[in-house]
Coordinates of all heavy atoms in Angstrom, one line a residue:
R1 N -5.3 -8.9 10.8 CA -3.9 -9.2 11.0 C -3.3 -10.0 9.9 O -2.1 -10.1 9.8 CB -3.8 -10.0 12.4 CG -4.1 -9.1 13.6 CD -4.2 -9.9 14.8 NE -3.0 -10.6 15.2 CZ -2.9 -11.4 16.2 NH1 -4.0 -11.7 16.9 NH2 -1.7 -12.0 16.5
F2 N -4.2 -10.6 9.0 CA -3.7 -11.3 7.9 C -3.8 -10.4 6.6 O -4.3 -10.9 5.6 CB -4.4 -12.6 7.7 CG -4.1 -13.7 8.7 CD1 -4.9 -13.8 9.8 CD2 -3.0 -14.5 8.5 CE1 -4.6 -14.8 10.8 CE2 -2.7 -15.5 9.4 CZ -3.5 -15.6 10.6
C3 N -3.4 -9.2 6.8 CA -3.6 -8.2 5.7 C -2.8 -8.7 4.4 O -1.7 -9.3 4.5 CB -3.2 -6.8 6.1 SG -1.4 -6.6 6.4
A4 N -3.4 -8.5 3.3 CA -2.9 -9.0 2.0 C -1.6 -8.3 1.6 O -1.3 -7.1 2.0 CB -3.9 -8.8 0.9
A5 N -0.9 -8.9 0.7 CA 0.4 -8.3 0.1 C 0.2 -6.9 -0.4 O 1.0 -6.0 -0.2 CB 0.9 -9.3 -0.9
P6 N -0.9 -6.7 -1.2 CA -1.0 -5.3 -1.8 C -1.3 -4.3 -0.7 O -0.9 -3.1 -0.8 CB -2.3 -5.4 -2.7 CG -2.9 -6.7 -2.3 CD -1.9 -7.6 -1.8
V7 N -1.9 -4.7 0.4 CA -2.1 -3.7 1.5 C -0.8 -3.4 2.2 O -0.5 -2.3 2.5 CB -3.1 -4.3 2.6 CG1 -3.1 -3.5 3.9 CG2 -4.5 -4.5 2.0
Q8 N 0.1 -4.4 2.4 CA 1.4 -4.2 2.9 C 2.2 -3.3 2.0 O 2.9 -2.4 2.5 CB 2.1 -5.5 3.1 CG 1.4 -6.5 4.1 CD 2.1 -7.9 4.0 OE1 3.3 -8.0 3.9 NE2 1.3 -8.9 4.1
W9 N 2.1 -3.5 0.7 CA 2.8 -2.6 -0.2 C 2.3 -1.2 -0.2 O 3.1 -0.2 0.0 CB 2.8 -3.2 -1.6 CG 3.3 -2.2 -2.7 CD1 2.6 -1.3 -3.4 CD2 4.7 -2.0 -3.0 NE1 3.4 -0.6 -4.2 CE2 4.7 -1.0 -4.0 CE3 5.9 -2.6 -2.6 CZ2 5.9 -0.6 -4.5 CZ3 7.1 -2.2 -3.1 CH2 7.1 -1.2 -4.1
S10 N 1.0 -1.1 -0.3 CA 0.4 0.3 -0.4 C 0.5 1.1 0.9 O 0.6 2.3 0.8 CB -1.1 0.1 -0.8 OG -1.2 -0.4 -2.1
R11 N 0.5 0.4 2.1 CA 0.8 1.2 3.3 C 2.1 1.9 3.2 O 2.2 3.1 3.7 CB 0.8 0.2 4.5 CG -0.5 -0.1 5.1 CD -0.4 -1.0 6.3 NE -1.7 -1.2 6.9 CZ -2.0 -2.3 7.5 NH1 -1.2 -3.3 7.6 NH2 -3.2 -2.4 8.1
K12 N 3.1 1.3 2.7 CA 4.4 1.9 2.6 C 4.4 3.1 1.5 O 5.0 4.1 1.7 CB 5.5 0.9 2.2 CG 5.7 -0.2 3.2 CD 6.8 -1.2 2.8 CE 7.1 -2.2 3.8 NZ 8.1 -3.2 3.4
V13 N 3.6 2.8 0.5 CA 3.6 3.8 -0.6 C 2.9 5.1 -0.1 O 3.4 6.2 -0.3 CB 2.8 3.3 -1.8 CG1 2.4 4.4 -2.8 CG2 3.6 2.2 -2.5
V14 N 1.8 5.0 0.7 CA 1.0 6.1 1.1 C 1.6 6.9 2.3 O 1.3 8.0 2.6 CB -0.4 5.7 1.4 CG1 -1.3 6.9 1.8 CG2 -1.1 5.0 0.2
A15 N 2.6 6.2 2.9 CA 3.2 6.8 4.2 C 3.7 8.2 4.0 O 3.6 9.0 5.0 CB 4.3 5.8 4.7
D16 N 4.2 8.5 2.8 CA 4.7 9.9 2.7 C 3.7 10.9 2.1 O 4.0 12.0 1.8 CB 6.0 9.8 1.7 CG 5.7 9.5 0.3 OD1 4.5 9.1 0.0 OD2 6.6 9.5 -0.6
G17 N 2.5 10.4 2.0 CA 1.4 11.3 1.5 C 1.4 11.6 0.0 O 0.7 12.6 -0.4
H18 N 2.0 10.7 -0.8 CA 2.1 11.0 -2.2 C 1.7 9.7 -3.0 O 2.3 8.6 -2.7 CB 3.4 11.5 -2.7 CG 3.8 12.8 -2.1 ND1 3.4 14.0 -2.6 CD2 4.6 13.1 -1.0 CE1 3.8 15.0 -1.9 NE2 4.6 14.5 -0.9
V19 N 0.8 9.7 -3.9 CA 0.5 8.6 -4.8 C 0.3 9.1 -6.2 O -0.6 10.0 -6.4 CB -0.8 7.8 -4.3 CG1 -1.2 6.8 -5.3 CG2 -0.5 7.1 -3.0
K20 N 1.0 8.5 -7.1 CA 0.8 8.9 -8.5 C -0.2 8.1 -9.3 O -0.9 8.6 -10.2 CB 2.2 8.8 -9.3 CG 2.2 9.0 -10.7 CD 1.8 10.5 -11.1 CE 1.9 10.7 -12.6 NZ 1.5 12.1 -13.0
A21 N -0.4 6.8 -8.9 CA -1.3 6.0 -9.6 C -1.7 4.8 -8.7 O -1.0 4.5 -7.7 CB -0.7 5.4 -10.8
V22 N -2.9 4.2 -9.0 CA -3.4 3.0 -8.3 C -3.7 2.0 -9.3 O -4.4 2.3 -10.3 CB -4.6 3.4 -7.5 CG1 -5.0 2.1 -6.6 CG2 -4.5 4.6 -6.6
I23 N -3.2 0.8 -9.2 CA -3.5 -0.3 -10.0 C -4.3 -1.3 -9.2 O -3.9 -1.7 -8.1 CB -2.2 -1.0 -10.6 CG1 -2.6 -2.1 -11.6 CG2 -1.3 -1.5 -9.6 CD1 -3.0 -1.6 -13.0
L24 N -5.5 -1.7 -9.7 CA -6.4 -2.6 -9.0 C -6.8 -3.8 -9.8 O -7.0 -3.7 -11.0 CB -7.7 -1.8 -8.6 CG -7.5 -0.4 -8.0 CD1 -7.6 0.6 -9.0 CD2 -8.6 -0.2 -6.9

């Protein structure tokens, strides 16, 4: 329940089924 900021961001990114790049 305390998911990190990048998780919150990436959930929105992946929601449409498209990802061009991942920065880690």
Side-chain angles (χ1 to χ4, degrees):
R1 291 169 64 187
F2 288 94
C3 65
V7 171
Q8 297 172 39
W9 171 264
S10 296
R11 274 183 177 149
K12 294 180 179 179
V13 168
V14 182
D16 67 355
H18 297 279
V19 170
K20 174 66 175 174
V22 188
I23 185 77
L24 313 93

